[in-house]
């Protein structure tokens, strides 16, 4: 009934009446995502009627009402089949200021029309294969990049940037060809990185270092949403970038990694938004060539080198670390390097472990990132070793028992999900410089058996990668307990079915054989 009344007014009414009836329809169906199949034909005709109205010279407020209803109706894939034409797509491109002839964004009154047009395009492109093909034909990716360049430094049009970026993300998600076009032809990597710089209001203090205002306000909701969309689009653009072939590429990835370091050190308007922001930053960092991740740590600034410092081993016992790691003016420092970003990643990882669910999607990206960082960068590995595997003092409890990060990771080594337990074991193995004896010391033989069997290291030894020969000193507690540990003792079954040390079991079977021979 709603569609029938709206269709009648759209076909025969004047602009004011059309605006009123469509506003009523939009208010009523704003939260509608499932539609009755009985009214499908009417919805198709209403879409067609709205496109015809959008061709006319109507007030901006009427355009917005038309586009709001079109956005709602475009949630239904079946409705889009007859209305997804090149002509209709071009109407939306024109209203979204995506035509190349539109060279300015001066009329603030037009911004709601641009935003609603972009929202419609997001739905239509996502739900319609025909629209996806037309997007290629109309070179939509290039038009979206052009619009971004017009507004990249203008904060008051964040909504336009946000939905432009979302549509760019959808396109690059659905078409691998568009990813390549964005990366090389359209220079999407520097463009999207600059969008992030603008969202974070970054001020550079060196080539790859930015100023962090620890007392500054959190990001606004609009800035956070814009940054998240840019991070998602960048992920698609860089998804195959595990190798750097040119010096210019290396520089651009380092700039992006420095922007992501800044991202990790700021917060959003809420805790959930901060986690979402950091989660997308972690995903994108996983695409950065590992050789470029050295910018995640940096030498201390003049302010950070002030004399005020605290040894971490003077903090509570759950924060104990080796003396190389100190706090200077609330900055995490290791070997003269600022480790704040790595510490944020470690805290993020622990929060994901504590959630206890969705480990494959939520935990493995950050674990993989920390593993590769540790393997490639000595200072990062040594800092993480301090934090995750501090000098072993508790030698009475099993490695998986307790609430430290080490205990939590050791528990993951026997997780039911193969991917989760493999990456958890790999991370700890790398922190131990791929030395079997060191891994066993911190995790126990049973927990490490899966990784060692897969590597062919059950008999001991070390992995294939080379690490520096810095010492791994043992605590007095461990030295005293080590002779009593008996980590691995061969066991066998006695004739009565009970378990006993292998040597004793063999002796008992020998006695039985001798007795049997005498009887014969």
């Amino acid at each position: 009934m709603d569609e029938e009344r709206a269709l009648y007014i759209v076909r025969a009414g004047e602009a004011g009446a059309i605006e009123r009836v469509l506003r009523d329809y939009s208010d009523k169906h704003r939260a509608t995502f499932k539609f009755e199949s009985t009214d499908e034909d009417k919805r198709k005709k209403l879409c067609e009627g709205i496109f015809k109205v959008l061709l006319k010279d109507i007030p901006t407020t009427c355009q917005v009402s038309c586009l709001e209803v079109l956005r709602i109706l475009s949630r239904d894939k079946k409705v889009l089949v007859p209305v997804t034409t090149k002509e209709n797509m071009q109407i939306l491109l024109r209203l979204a200021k995506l035509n190349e002839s539109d060279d300015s964004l001066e009329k603030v009154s037009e911004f709601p029309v641009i935003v609603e047009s972009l929202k419609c395009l997001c739905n239509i492109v996502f739900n319609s294969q025909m629209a996806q093909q037309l997007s290629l034909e109309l070179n939509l990716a290039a038009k979206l990049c052009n619009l971004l360049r017009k507004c990249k430094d203008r904060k008051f049009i964040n909504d336009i940037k946000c939905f432009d970026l979302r549509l760019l993300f959808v396109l690059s998600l659905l078409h691998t060809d568009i990813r390549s076009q964005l990366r090389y032809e359209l220079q999407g990597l520097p463009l999207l990185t600059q969008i992030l710089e603008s969202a974070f209001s970054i001020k550079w203090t060196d080539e790859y270092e930015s100023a962090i205002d620890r007392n500054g306000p959190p990001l606004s909701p609009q800035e956070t949403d814009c940054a998240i969309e840019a991070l998602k689009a960048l992920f698609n653009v860089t998804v195959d970038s595990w190798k750097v072939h040119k010096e210019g590429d290396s520089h651009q990835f380092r700039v992006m990694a420095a922007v992501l370091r800044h991202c990790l050190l700021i917060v959003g308007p809420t805790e959930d938004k901060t986690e979402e922001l950091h989660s997308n930053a972690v995903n994108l960092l996983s695409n950065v060539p590992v050789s470029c991740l050295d910018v995640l740590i940096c030498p201390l600034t003049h302010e950070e080198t002030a004399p005020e410092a605290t040894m971490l081993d003077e903090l509570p016992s759950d924060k104990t670390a080796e003396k190389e790691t100190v706090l200077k003016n609330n900055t995490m420092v290791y070997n003269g390097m600022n480790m704040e970003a790595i510490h944020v990643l470690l805290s993020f990882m622990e929060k994901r472990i504590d959630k206890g669910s969705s480990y494959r999607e939520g935990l493995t990206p950050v674990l993989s990132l920390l593993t590769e960082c540790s393997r490639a960068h000595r200072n990062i590995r040594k800092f993480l070793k301090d934090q995750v595997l501090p000098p072993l003092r508790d030698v009475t409890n099993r490695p998986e028992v307790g609430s430290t990060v080490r205990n939590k990771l050791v528990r993951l080594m026997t997780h039911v999900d193969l991917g989760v337990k493999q990456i958890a074991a790999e991370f700890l193995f790398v922190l131990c410089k791929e030395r079997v004896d060191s891994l066993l010391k911190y995790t126990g033989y049973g927990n490490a058996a899966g990784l060692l069997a897969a590597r062919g290291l059950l008999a001991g030894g070390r992995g294939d990668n080379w690490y520096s020969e810095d010492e791994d000193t043992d605590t007095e507690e461990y030295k005293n307990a080590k002779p009593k540990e008996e980590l691995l003792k061969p066991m066998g079954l006695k004739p009565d079915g009970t378990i006993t040390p292998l040597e004793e079991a063999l002796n008992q079977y020998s006695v039985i054989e001798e007795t049997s021979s005498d009887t014969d």
Side-chain angles (χ1 to χ4, degrees):
M1 188 66 182
D2 292 332
E3 287 83 3
E4 189 171 340
R5 175 171 174 267
L7 180 58
Y8 175 79
I9 299 296
V10 164
R11 282 176 170 174
E14 48 84 30
I18 292 173
E19 181 180 343
R20 285 191 295 273
V21 74
L22 291 182
R23 192 188 304 126
D24 290 343
Y25 185 93
S26 177
D27 290 341
K28 186 172 182 179
H29 295 280
R30 196 174 302 278
T32 300
F33 290 88
K34 291 184 179 180
F35 300 88
E36 295 293 335
S37 58
T38 52
D39 295 325
E40 184 180 309
D41 189 57
K42 293 175 184 177
R43 290 196 299 277
K44 289 178 182 177
K45 291 178 179 178
L46 180 56
C47 279
E48 292 171 344
I50 288 174
F51 274 112
K52 290 177 181 177
V53 171
L54 288 171
L55 283 171
K56 300 176 182 179
D57 184 16
I58 56 175
T60 300
T61 52
C62 186
Q63 288 179 323
V64 172
S65 295
C66 287
L67 291 166
E68 285 178 344
V69 173
L70 188 60
R71 171 170 53 83
I72 292 169
L73 295 175
S74 65
R75 297 167 182 167
D76 184 357
K77 294 182 180 181
K78 295 179 181 178
V79 165
L80 294 177
V81 175
V83 299
T84 306
T85 64
K86 186 174 182 178
E87 293 73 20
N88 288 341
M89 288 285 285
Q90 286 175 324
I91 290 172
L92 292 175
L93 295 185
R94 173 177 57 81
L95 293 171
K97 297 294 182 183
L98 289 170
N99 289 335
E100 294 179 7
S101 58
D102 297 325
D103 56 1
S104 64
L105 292 173
E106 299 300 331
K107 294 183 180 179
V108 177
S109 61
E110 294 179 343
F111 289 179
V113 176
I114 299 173
V115 171
E116 282 301 326
S117 300
L118 289 169
K119 288 180 181 179
C120 288
L121 284 167
C122 285
N123 279 2
I124 292 171
V125 170
F126 184 74
N127 287 323
S128 168
Q129 288 187 349
M130 177 60 72
Q132 293 162 23
Q133 292 302 317
L134 287 170
S135 298
L136 294 173
E137 183 180 337
L138 294 167
N139 202 11
L140 181 53
K143 296 179 186 296
L144 289 167
C145 287
N146 188 44
L147 181 59
L148 278 178
R149 289 187 177 95
K150 295 176 190 175
C151 61
K152 70 180 181 184
D153 294 322
R154 301 172 64 180
K155 290 195 171 186
F156 58 90
I157 49 179
N158 270 328
D159 283 346
I160 295 177
K161 284 194 284 189
C162 185
F163 288 101
D164 183 306
L165 290 164
R166 182 170 297 178
L167 184 51
L168 209 53
F169 165 72
V170 171
L171 282 173
S172 56
L173 176 69
L174 298 171
H175 283 286
T176 54
D177 291 345
I178 288 181
R179 293 178 203 165
S180 180
Q181 182 192 16
L182 278 170
R183 174 75 189 278
Y184 299 106
E185 178 188 334
L186 300 175
Q187 295 296 299
L189 186 55
L191 172 62
L192 294 171
T193 302
Q194 288 166 9
I195 293 292
L196 281 177
E197 288 183 48
S198 175
F200 299 147
S201 301
I202 288 182
K203 296 178 181 178
W204 295 105
T205 58
D206 205 339
E207 187 176 22
Y208 304 123
E209 294 177 33
S210 61
I212 304 293
D213 184 2
R214 293 176 176 81
N215 298 317
L219 290 178
S220 70
Q222 294 80 12
E223 289 168 338
T224 306
D225 288 340
C226 186
I228 288 171
E229 296 300 333
L231 290 168
K232 289 158 59 178
L234 268 170
F235 179 86
N236 288 345
V237 172
T238 59
V239 72
D240 300 317
S241 301
W242 58 278
K243 276 190 175 180
V244 172
H245 298 286
K246 302 176 185 176
E247 187 175 340
D249 287 345
S250 178
H251 167 71
Q252 189 56 55
F253 275 111
R254 277 194 162 84
V255 171
M256 187 176 76
V259 171
L260 294 176
R261 177 184 181 274
H262 188 101
C263 176
L264 292 172
L265 300 180
I266 57 179
V267 296
T270 65
E271 187 175 342
D272 287 344
K273 274 297 180 182
T274 299
E275 183 171 354
E276 185 181 359
L277 182 69
H278 289 177
S279 178
N280 281 282
V282 167
N283 292 340
L284 182 52
L285 280 167
S286 300
N287 289 350
V288 176
V290 69
S291 60
C292 300
L293 293 175
D294 53 348
V295 300
L296 290 178
I297 60 176
C298 57
L300 298 182
T301 64
H302 176 72
E303 291 78 8
E304 292 167 340
T305 55
E308 184 179 328
T310 305
M311 291 292 181
L312 288 193
D313 58 6
E314 295 173 4
L315 298 175
S317 57
D318 61 335
K319 300 295 183 182
T320 300
E322 290 185 359
K323 291 184 179 180
E324 290 95 336
T325 305
V326 298
L327 285 173
K328 289 187 176 181
N329 298 325
N330 294 319
T331 299
M332 191 69 69
V333 178
Y334 178 87
N335 199 22
M337 303 294 286
N338 185 321
M339 291 287 176
E340 283 184 291
I342 304 301
H343 190 257
V344 170
L345 289 173
L346 185 61
S347 299
F348 179 86
M349 178 202 74
E350 188 172 7
K351 286 179 183 177
R352 287 295 170 96
I353 294 176
D354 292 342
K355 278 192 172 182
S357 62
S358 302
Y359 280 159
R360 182 173 285 272
E361 300 81 12
L363 177 61
T364 55
V366 66
L367 261 178
S368 298
L369 175 63
L370 290 173
T371 301
E372 293 307 312
C373 283
S374 300
R375 184 176 278 126
H377 301 288
R378 178 174 178 266
N379 275 331
I380 294 178
R381 174 181 57 78
K382 293 192 71 177
F383 170 75
L384 287 172
K385 172 77 180 302
D386 278 354
Q387 301 296 300
V388 177
L389 301 175
L392 195 58
R393 302 187 187 283
D394 180 5
V395 293
T396 57
N397 292 315
R398 295 172 63 86
E400 67 271 22
V401 176
S403 59
T404 66
V405 183
R406 174 178 75 105
N407 302 142
K408 295 172 183 178
L409 286 166
V410 171
R411 287 196 288 271
L412 289 179
M413 294 175 76
T414 54
H415 195 271
V416 293
D417 188 303
L418 180 62
V420 172
K421 72 178 182 181
Q422 283 179 336
I423 190 59
E426 185 76 10
F427 177 49
L428 292 173
F429 195 40
V430 169
L431 293 188
C432 293
K433 298 187 290 186
E434 301 192 22
R435 286 173 43 190
V436 172
D437 58 343
S438 181
L439 181 69
L440 296 182
K441 166 181 163 182
Y442 288 104
T443 69
Y445 192 89
N447 294 312
L451 178 138
L452 298 179
R455 294 288 195 96
L457 294 171
L458 284 171
R462 65 186 307 166
D464 299 328
N465 293 288
W466 181 89
Y467 297 88
S468 61
E469 294 299 329
D470 45 290
E471 291 187 8
D472 183 17
T473 55
D474 293 333
T475 61
E476 289 300 318
E477 294 89 339
Y478 182 74
K479 288 178 181 177
N480 293 332
K482 190 173 182 179
K484 308 173 186 176
E485 279 187 307
E486 294 183 339
L487 292 174
L488 179 63
K489 178 183 285 188
M491 305 295 283
L493 285 175
K494 294 196 296 186
D496 62 1
T498 59
I499 296 176
T500 190
L502 183 61
E503 185 178 357
E504 183 179 335
L506 290 175
N507 288 337
Q508 291 200 16
Y509 279 108
S510 298
V511 171
I512 292 174
E513 288 181 5
E514 291 174 4
T515 305
S516 300
S517 299
D518 292 343
T519 304
D520 291 340

